[in-house]
Amino acid sequence: MIKSMTGYGSAKGTVEGIEVCVELKSVNNKFLDTAIRMPRSFLFAEETIKQAVSSHISRGKVDVFVTVDTSMANDMVVRVNEPLLNGYLEALKGIADKHGLTNDISVMGVSRLPDVLSVEKKELDADAVATGVRNIAEQALLDFDRMRIVEGDKLKADVLEKLRTIEQLVTIIEENSPKTVQDYRERLLGKLNEVLGSSGIDESRILTEAAIFADKIAVDEETVRLRSHIAQLRQMLETGSPIGRKIDFLLQEFNREANTTGSKCQNAEIAHVVVDLKSEIEKIREQIQNIE
């Protein structure tokens, strides 16, 4: 199936209690250019996201946005500084014994002592988070591909329609090419009649001149190659992406044959047809810039 290079996709999920959203958008580009924007604390997952993108996309400028919401995550840990707590307890017991005081140490009282308790952010499992983020990225890429396939089908239909037009123009050239030789023969005969009269005309010489002219303006090879290119392009459109660059190269051959045909033609009608032919080829070339 044909895929457009432009598209958008998104997906959400939960990784280690953290809500993650992955969004992708892309525009045309000769090669694959991936830019990922994500929180610094998640940069360790950047490479795995790039691998996911490259497994789905062969060319295009792709922007990936990763946003995280930790507001609902259970990622805070309260730690007890045991050495410091033991030091406090020994010091308080010593004070009570030395001064005959009641040792009324309580849990709440101890918790209020400086630096006994600390709140820290729980360390994330980097491998688990990277795997989870990649899975969400894969879902976003599937959504992204669905949009690109819809656009690709439209591009394919448009290119096939233009190919049918090109085929019709090639047929017109093939039909008019022999007529050009006949017109030349008649013009040559008319001029000789004016100069020599009917008695002095060498029919074999006219046939020779007409044959030389026919060989000079013959576009059979060009039209045959154009039809071959048309068949090849139709086949490419059935194989599916990535084919954009291949079609771009093939269209250069289309243009080469059209230019040669234009340089050979000695007929105003064919010249007009060649202009239309080159116009249709250019329209396809513009559309191909959107195909992966």
Side-chain angles (χ1 to χ4, degrees):
M1 63 191 74
I2 302 299
K3 294 179 182 177
S4 168
M5 270 195 286
T6 59
Y8 172 84
S10 66
K12 292 181 179 180
T14 302
V15 180
E16 297 287 290
I18 299 170
E19 290 188 5
V20 178
C21 176
V22 178
E23 295 178 280
L24 304 100
K25 68 174 184 178
S26 68
V27 294
N28 301 350
N29 200 50
K30 274 191 172 183
F31 307 100
L32 178 60
D33 179 11
T34 304
I36 300 176
R37 294 169 178 80
M38 61 194 307
R40 291 179 61 84
S41 57
F42 278 70
L43 285 177
F44 58 82
E46 182 175 4
E47 187 58 35
T48 190
I49 295 174
K50 280 189 176 180
Q51 291 172 1
V53 170
S54 62
S55 69
H56 284 257
I57 307 168
S58 62
R59 68 174 187 153
K61 187 179 187 310
V62 185
D63 289 311
V64 183
F65 303 92
V66 180
T67 55
V68 300
D69 181 2
T70 60
S71 60
M72 301 299 291
N74 183 23
D75 60 348
M76 304 306 291
V77 179
V78 178
R79 300 190 184 279
V80 179
N81 189 332
E82 294 288 350
L84 181 61
L85 175 59
N86 290 333
Y88 276 130
L89 293 175
E90 290 180 8
L92 291 171
K93 183 177 181 299
I95 292 172
D97 292 343
K98 182 176 181 180
H99 299 283
L101 300 174
T102 302
N103 192 345
D104 57 353
I105 299 173
S106 67
V107 173
M108 186 58 70
V110 169
S111 67
R112 293 182 179 135
L113 294 173
D115 301 324
V116 170
L117 299 180
S118 62
V119 181
E120 301 176 3
K121 196 163 187 176
K122 184 168 62 177
E123 188 174 341
L124 293 173
D125 184 337
D127 291 338
V129 171
T131 300
V133 171
R134 171 156 185 164
N135 290 338
I136 296 171
E138 291 281 357
Q139 293 301 314
L141 283 161
L142 291 175
D143 185 45
F144 175 73
D145 277 342
R146 280 191 287 271
M147 182 176 179
R148 294 201 302 149
I149 290 169
V150 170
E151 291 298 318
D153 287 341
K154 293 178 183 176
L155 290 171
K156 177 182 175 181
D158 186 65
V159 171
L160 287 173
E161 180 61 33
K162 287 175 172 53
L163 278 179
R164 283 190 285 272
T165 302
I166 288 174
E167 209 163 29
Q168 292 168 1
L169 294 172
V170 171
T171 299
I172 293 172
I173 292 171
E174 290 171 335
E175 290 173 350
N176 282 272
S177 185
K179 184 175 178 293
T180 304
V181 178
Q182 180 61 31
D183 291 344
Y184 174 78
R185 186 179 184 282
E186 291 175 359
R187 288 197 306 272
L188 180 61
L189 183 59
K191 288 181 180 179
L192 290 174
N193 275 326
E194 289 176 10
V195 176
L196 302 175
S198 58
S199 60
I201 297 175
D202 183 353
E203 186 66 27
S204 63
R205 181 61 180 172
I206 293 175
L207 291 174
T208 301
E209 290 292 337
I212 293 172
F213 179 75
D215 184 62
K216 181 181 177 181
I217 68 164
V219 293
D220 297 24
E221 291 183 14
E222 286 73 23
T223 57
V224 167
R225 280 196 288 265
L226 276 169
R227 289 192 180 278
S228 174
H229 297 335
I230 290 169
Q232 189 176 355
L233 180 46
R234 282 193 176 123
Q235 186 177 10
M236 284 184 178
L237 291 171
E238 295 303 322
T239 60
S241 294
I243 57 168
R245 294 181 67 189
K246 289 181 181 178
I247 294 178
D248 202 22
F249 290 132
L250 181 60
L251 287 174
Q252 294 178 26
E253 298 301 316
F254 270 80
N255 267 319
R256 186 173 290 111
E257 304 306 337
N259 287 331
T260 304
T261 301
S263 65
K264 284 185 174 183
C265 73
Q266 301 288 324
N267 179 295
E269 186 175 349
I270 293 180
H272 292 151
V273 174
V274 170
V275 171
D276 292 339
L277 176 64
K278 293 170 71 173
S279 175
E280 291 301 314
I281 294 170
E282 180 61 22
K283 288 176 185 177
I284 292 179
R285 194 193 68 79
E286 289 176 359
Q287 289 289 48
I288 292 307
Q289 307 312 309
N290 300 315
I291 293 178
E292 182 183 18

